Amino acid sequence: MEQKKVLIIDDDARNIFALKAVLRSRGISCISATSGAEGLELLAGDHQVGVVLMDIMMPDMDGYETIAALRAQAPNSRLPVIAVTAQAMVGDREKCLQAGADNYISKPVDVDVLLSQIQQYLAD
């Protein structure tokens, strides 16, 4: 059985690079998209995605809109989504969860917390 992958959706190539480096160093396969629309296209294909790391602050289609569109796709309606955002204000976590994210982590990312969350979803 093919290992489930992590899909990183983030408009900043530096964030994608850093997250991929961390995940790959732990033996976790990942693919990436630089926009919500591109991420949804990848999910429409068969990429064995087990969890999505979703940047919230993106131009055009932000993370909230992307999560809503993802949830509207039948095969992805229950796909775990971890919101990854620089917004760490009071209420932001709740807003992400209300938008359909399964979990939330703020930037700068605590690698141990992120890996723990990812492993929880990939193990299911």
Side-chain angles (χ1 to χ4, degrees):
M1 187 171 93
E2 186 178 348
Q3 177 191 3
K4 295 281 188 183
K5 296 179 177 121
V6 173
L7 170 58
I8 303 165
I9 303 177
D10 196 313
D11 63 314
D12 189 329
R14 295 166 299 188
N15 291 337
I16 290 173
F17 178 83
L19 287 168
K20 277 187 171 183
V22 167
L23 296 176
R24 287 181 175 158
S25 73
R26 302 304 200 289
I28 300 171
S29 299
C30 50
I31 56 176
S32 61
T34 56
S35 70
E38 184 184 349
L40 292 171
E41 281 181 37
L42 284 173
L43 286 170
D46 183 22
H47 292 286
Q48 294 295 316
V49 173
V51 64
V52 176
L53 299 182
M54 178 74 66
D55 181 30
I56 296 299
M57 302 303 293
M58 295 186 290
D60 299 324
M61 182 182 232
D62 68 20
Y64 300 118
E65 294 169 302
T66 306
I67 292 169
L70 181 152
R71 294 289 182 230
Q73 297 175 340
N76 300 315
S77 63
R78 300 180 66 84
L79 181 65
V81 175
I82 300 172
V84 182
T85 182
Q87 289 194 210
M89 307 283 278
V90 172
D92 285 336
R93 180 179 196 283
E94 291 73 21
K95 187 175 178 183
C96 289
L97 297 177
Q98 286 176 347
D102 295 281
N103 223 321
Y104 166 95
I105 190 164
S106 62
K107 296 176 185 174
V109 172
D110 181 324
V111 173
D112 293 329
V113 172
L114 178 65
L115 290 171
S116 173
Q117 288 183 13
I118 289 172
Q119 293 293 357
Q120 166 191 337
Y121 295 119
L122 292 181
D124 291 343

